[in-house]
Amino acid sequence: MTAKFSSLSVRGDLFGGLTAGIVALPLALAFGVASGAGAAAGLYGAIVLGLLAALAGGTRMQISGPTGPMTVVFAAILISMEGNLAMVMGAVFVCGMVQILLGLSRAGALVRFIPYPVVSGFMSGIGLIIILLQLAPLLGAPSQSSPTGALLALPQTLMQMNFQAAFLSLLTLLIVFLTPMRISRILPSPLVALIVVTLVSMAAGFRVPVIGEIPMGLPDVVFPVFSWETIKPVVLAGITLALLGSIDSLLTSLVADSVTGTRHNSNRELVGQGLGNSLCAFVGGLPGAGATMRTVVNIKAGGSTRLSGVTHAVFLLVLLMGAAPLAQNIPLAVLAGILVKVGLDILDYRFIKLLKTAPRDDLMVMTVVFVLTVFVDLIIAVGVGVLFSMALITKRVSSQARVSLWPEDESATSRMQGEVRVLEIQGAFFFGSTSRLTDNVDQVLGTRVIIFNCSRIPFIDLSAVFALEETIERLKASRITSLVVMPPKIRAQLIALNHAGLPSQILFPDLKSALMEAENFTKPEKTKKALVPGAKILLVDDEKDFTEMLSLRLEERGHRVWVAHDGMEGLNLLREQPQDVVVLDLRMPGMGGLEVLAQMKKEFPFVEVILLTGHGSEESAVHGMRMGAFDYLMKPAEFSQLLDKIKAARRRKVAQEDRIRQAEMLLSLPSAVRPLNEEEETEEVRAVR
C-alpha cells in the first residue's frame, strides 16, 4: 500500500529516521568491532543495507542494519576463513543472492511456520552469545571468538583485567540501564553512554583499548573471491547468513506490523534485504537484517514511510564523511557495555516468565534450541528445533486419531446378518496414524465385506493411501471385499491420482451408498433371480485392476467371466467361447473400440455389448449404440450401475433366445399342425375364416 505524503508524515519520518540513526551509530560501531572486521565495516553495512532495504523492502517503516545474530555468525565465518576478508565478502554476496531468490520464489511466508519455542530459544541463545563474547572486552582483556572459549578463558580474563576498562564498562552499564526514559526519548541512552564515557576516558587519560582509526569518505571497492577450492565453504556460509538474516528480518517485520497495525510484504522484504546485503559485499560492509529495536524507535518517533529509513542511512553517511576521526578514541569497553545491554534486551523474557507453567513439549524445544544455539551452531539449532517441533506435533495429532469398529460383534444380527463391518477412521489420516489402521485389521478377518469409513478425515497423505492399499490387498487375499468411503473432495483427488490400488469402483462419497453396495455381496440369491446364474460375460478393458475387481465381484454372484486386455484378444476369446454380454472399453490403445464393436456385431450379431467411455467421448458411445450396442456408461462407473446394465442386457439376451427357440419349434412342426403363412393359405381356408 502506498503511503500518502504530507507535511506531518514527512516531519515524522525525518525525526524518526534521525532518532533511529542516533541509536544505530553506537550499535553499528560496536557490531563492527565485535565482528572482527572493524568499526568501519559496521557503519558501511548500516548505510548500504539501511538505504537499499528502505527503498526496495516490503516493510515501509523498518530500519535495517547490522544485528546481533548476524554479527555473531559473521564473526564465526571470518575466523573459519582465517581472516580472509575477500572470501568472507564472497559469502556475504551469496547471502544477498539467496535472499533475493527466496523472495522471488515467494518463500517469505514460510517464517510464519516456525514455532514460537524455536524463535524464543534462538533469540535467547543469541542474547547469551553476545553477553559471553563481551565479557573479555568489558574487563579490557583480549576478546574471544566463541562463547565456549569465552567461558573457558574466564579465569585468564580475570587475571588480565584492566581496572580502568572495567570502570568504564561499569559506568557505561549504569548509564544505559539507569538513564530516565524522558531523557532516552530525546537522546538514546547508548548514545549518552558513548559520548559521556568516551569524554571521561579521554579527560582522565585512561590507557584502555580503543576503536582506532576509521577511514573517512566512501569505502574502497572490495571484490568477493570465488574459486573452485573455496566455493563450498563460501556458499554454505552464505546460505547460513541468508537464512538467519531472512528469519531475523521477517520477525522484525511482524513486530512492526503489530505496532502499526499494517501488513508487510514478506517476499519483497527478502528481495530488499538481499539487494542490500549483496551490495555490502562490494564495500566491505557487515551484513545485517531488519533491526527490531531501531525499527520500534523509528515508529515511536513518528516514522511511517520509507523516507524514515532513507533518513537513517543518510544521517550515518554524513557522520562517516565528516565525523569519523571523532570515533577513533571510543573505548572498546564502552561498546562492550552497550552490547551487553543489547544482549539482555534480546533475551525472551516473555517465555522465561512461563518456564514453570509452560507445556513440557514447548519447554523441551526451547531448551534444545537454546543450548544448540549457544554451544553448537545457529542454523543447526533452528533446523533441529523445527524438526523436533514437527515430531511433537505429529505425535500430538496422531494421538487424536480414532479408529473404531462396528458392529463390535461380527456375529451381530442385522439386515446384512453380521457379514458387513465398518471400520471408522476419525481425525488426520497420515503417516503418523496409519499404525492405528493396521492394528485393527485382524479384528475383521472372517467378515465378507469391510467398509473403511473415512468420511470424517480432514486430509490423507500418500503414506496413508499406501497403507490403505496394503490393507485392502491383505483382506483380498482372505477373500474379504473392501469398500472405502471418502469425503467428496478427497475422493475426487484419489480418483484423479489414478492409483491402481484404490480404483474408483470401490470409492464411495457416503456411507449409505457403500452399505447399499455391500448388501449386494451379502445376498447372492437375489442377484441370481435378477441375473440368470451361469451367464457368460466377457470384459474387454486394458485396466487390469478394474477388470480383476469386476470379474471377482461377478464370479461371487455365480457367473463365468473372461477377461481380455485389448480388442483383438477379446475377439479371439469370443470366437473360442460365445458370450452372453460383453463389456467393452472404447478407449483402449491399439484396435479402436468402435472397430472391435463392428467386428463383434458382424460375427456375433446377437451378443449384447455394453460400452464404457469417458467424458468427451459420448458421441462415440452414441455411434456405437447405432451400430447395435445395448447401452453405455461413463467411466469411472459405479459397480451398481454397471451391474444394472448387465442385468438388463442379459434379460434382453434371454428374451431374444426364447423368441428364437419358439420360432424354431414352430418351423419344426408338420404343416398340418403349424400355422400357415399367407402364401400357403388356400382360398378354401380363407372362405372358412
Side-chain angles (χ1 to χ4, degrees):
M1 183 176 69
T2 304
K4 294 182 178 179
F5 285 92
S6 64
S7 59
L8 184 61
S9 68
V10 169
R11 190 182 307 115
D13 288 331
L14 292 176
F15 187 69
L18 289 173
T19 306
I22 292 171
V23 173
L25 175 62
L27 295 177
L29 295 173
F31 286 136
V33 172
S35 71
L43 277 177
Y44 296 157
I47 293 168
V48 174
L49 177 59
L51 179 62
L52 287 177
L55 292 174
T59 312
R60 291 182 288 108
M61 67 293 296
Q62 182 157 289
I63 303 298
S64 300
T67 63
M70 292 292 279
T71 301
V72 170
V73 175
F74 181 89
I77 294 172
L78 186 62
I79 292 172
S80 68
M81 295 184 178
E82 300 178 349
N84 188 332
L85 190 60
M87 272 185 66
V88 177
M89 288 302 135
V92 174
F93 179 75
V94 172
C95 161
M97 292 295 101
V98 170
Q99 285 183 307
I100 292 174
L101 290 175
L102 289 174
L104 295 178
S105 61
R106 310 185 70 80
L110 294 179
V111 72
R112 300 178 184 177
F113 297 101
I114 299 178
Y116 183 80
V118 176
V119 176
S120 175
F122 176 76
M123 297 308 295
S124 295
I126 289 293
L128 183 59
I129 289 175
I130 293 175
I131 294 170
L132 292 177
L133 291 179
Q134 299 310 309
L135 290 178
L138 276 173
L139 302 177
S143 60
Q144 300 295 320
S145 60
S146 68
T148 304
L151 286 174
L152 295 176
L154 190 57
Q156 184 180 357
T157 299
L158 292 174
M159 294 177 61
Q160 297 176 340
M161 181 172 61
N162 183 322
F163 288 96
Q164 294 178 344
F167 170 75
L168 295 178
S169 298
L170 179 62
L171 184 58
T172 300
L173 291 172
L174 290 174
I175 292 175
V176 295
F177 281 107
L178 300 180
T179 299
M181 185 58 64
R182 63 178 183 275
I183 297 177
S184 291
R185 288 195 184 100
I186 302 172
L187 200 62
S189 59
L191 187 61
V192 174
L194 187 70
I195 296 173
V196 171
V197 179
T198 300
L199 292 177
V200 169
S201 176
M202 293 175 64
F206 285 165
R207 294 185 177 182
V208 294
V210 296
I211 289 179
E213 183 180 358
I214 298 178
M216 283 187 62
L218 297 175
D220 296 329
V221 177
V222 178
F223 291 99
V225 171
F226 291 92
S227 66
W228 286 113
E229 292 77 15
T230 61
I231 190 67
K232 184 176 180 180
V234 167
V235 170
L236 290 177
I239 292 175
T240 301
L241 286 171
L243 295 177
L244 178 59
S246 300
I247 294 171
D248 202 357
S249 296
L250 295 179
L251 289 176
T252 301
S253 297
L254 292 176
V255 171
D257 288 349
S258 65
V259 174
T260 62
T262 59
R263 294 193 64 179
H264 70 281
N265 185 325
S266 299
N267 299 313
R268 180 173 176 178
E269 182 61 36
L270 290 183
V271 172
Q273 294 289 331
L275 289 173
N277 280 324
S278 60
L279 192 56
C280 282
F282 292 95
V283 298
L286 199 63
T292 304
M293 184 177 71
R294 279 159 272 175
T295 298
V296 173
V297 166
N298 175 44
I299 295 171
K300 296 296 185 183
S304 60
T305 71
R306 303 182 189 279
L307 180 60
S308 59
V310 173
T311 303
H312 145 269
V314 171
F315 171 75
L316 293 177
L317 178 61
V318 171
L319 289 179
L320 176 67
M321 297 295 290
L326 299 178
Q328 62 187 12
N329 293 319
I330 296 175
L332 297 182
V334 177
L335 299 180
I338 293 173
L339 287 177
V340 167
K341 173 67 164 58
V342 172
L344 290 172
D345 288 340
I346 290 177
L347 296 177
D348 184 14
Y349 296 101
R350 181 167 60 170
F351 195 98
I352 293 174
K353 291 178 182 178
L354 300 175
L355 288 180
K356 292 183 178 180
T357 57
R360 182 186 176 193
D361 290 349
D362 292 339
L363 187 58
M364 289 173 57
V365 172
M366 187 268 189
T367 304
V368 168
V369 174
F370 177 80
V371 172
L372 291 177
T373 298
V374 176
F375 298 107
V376 182
D377 181 85
L378 287 85
I379 297 302
I380 290 177
V382 173
V384 170
V386 171
L387 291 175
F388 196 9
S389 298
M390 289 173 59
L392 292 174
I393 287 294
T394 299
K395 178 184 176 183
R396 191 177 305 171
V397 172
S398 61
S399 66
Q400 295 174 353
R402 295 288 182 269
V403 177
S404 56
L405 186 67
W406 60 273
E408 295 182 2
D409 182 6
E410 63 177 317
S411 63
T413 59
S414 69
R415 64 174 185 164
M416 286 172 274
Q417 301 172 352
E419 294 182 326
V420 176
R421 305 186 74 184
V422 178
L423 193 69
E424 186 164 6
I425 302 170
Q426 300 181 35
F429 194 18
F430 69 120
F431 64 90
S433 58
T434 54
S435 60
R436 295 179 178 271
L437 170 67
T438 55
D439 291 344
N440 284 270
V441 170
D442 291 339
Q443 301 180 42
V444 301
L445 296 178
T447 305
R448 289 201 62 185
V449 181
I450 175 69
I451 299 176
F452 295 97
N453 184 15
C454 306
S455 58
R456 298 185 182 181
I457 65 171
F459 68 90
I460 184 172
D461 69 354
L462 275 179
S463 297
V465 170
F466 292 143
L468 187 58
E469 176 199 0
E470 291 170 2
T471 303
I472 291 173
E473 287 295 327
R474 179 182 172 188
L475 294 172
K476 183 179 178 181
S478 301
R479 302 195 67 79
I480 298 175
T481 301
S482 300
L483 306 177
V484 182
V485 179
M486 287 286 178
K489 185 176 180 180
I490 298 179
R491 178 175 178 267
Q493 292 173 349
L494 291 176
I495 292 174
L497 184 63
N498 196 26
H499 183 54
L502 289 174
S504 60
Q505 290 75 20
I506 69 170
L507 299 175
F508 295 86
D510 54 68
L511 182 59
K512 182 179 179 180
S513 58
L515 287 170
M516 291 176 62
E517 176 64 18
E519 195 169 3
N520 293 329
F521 289 92
T522 60
K523 295 185 179 181
E525 68 281 354
K526 289 189 175 182
T527 304
K528 293 178 182 180
K529 295 178 182 178
L531 182 58
V532 180
K536 293 177 287 186
I537 302 171
L538 173 62
L539 307 179
V540 186
D541 196 309
D542 61 327
E543 295 184 22
K544 296 184 179 180
D545 294 311
F546 169 69
T547 54
E548 181 180 357
M549 182 275 299
L550 186 56
S551 62
L552 178 63
R553 292 189 176 187
L554 292 172
E555 286 171 352
E556 287 177 347
R557 286 160 172 76
H559 307 292
R560 301 170 64 191
V561 182
W562 286 259
V563 176
H565 297 301
D566 61 65
M568 187 57 66
E569 183 184 3
L571 286 170
N572 290 333
L573 282 174
L574 198 56
R575 290 165 185 148
E576 295 172 4
Q577 178 64 56
Q579 306 289 327
D580 297 319
V581 180
V582 175
V583 179
L584 173 64
D585 189 352
L586 289 177
R587 301 180 301 172
M588 290 184 300
M591 190 175 183
L594 290 178
E595 186 180 353
V596 176
L597 174 62
Q599 191 64 31
M600 282 184 179
K601 283 298 180 180
K602 180 179 178 182
E603 297 184 32
F604 312 97
F606 299 113
V607 68
E608 298 293 352
V609 181
I610 298 173
L611 303 176
L612 297 178
T613 188
H615 291 287
S617 303
E618 294 92 336
E619 186 176 346
S620 297
V622 173
H623 183 60
M625 292 182 65
R626 293 194 186 102
M627 296 169 60
F630 174 74
D631 207 340
Y632 76 93
L633 278 174
M634 304 296 297
K635 292 182 73 174
E638 299 291 347
F639 177 72
S640 57
Q641 295 177 324
L642 182 57
L643 189 61
D644 289 340
K645 299 290 185 186
I646 293 176
K647 290 177 182 178
R650 176 58 178 150
R651 281 194 293 267
R652 191 169 85 164
K653 172 73 172 176
V654 171
Q656 188 179 46
E657 290 176 347
D658 289 342
R659 290 196 300 272
I660 293 173
R661 281 194 296 271
Q662 291 174 6
E664 289 176 344
M665 288 175 61
L666 289 174
L667 289 175
S668 65
L669 293 175
S671 58
V673 179
R674 64 181 173 86
L676 300 176
N677 57 33
E678 292 185 1
E679 295 179 356
E680 294 174 324
E681 286 184 346
T682 63
E683 293 182 2
E684 183 178 347
V685 173
R686 292 194 190 98
V688 171
R689 288 185 178 179

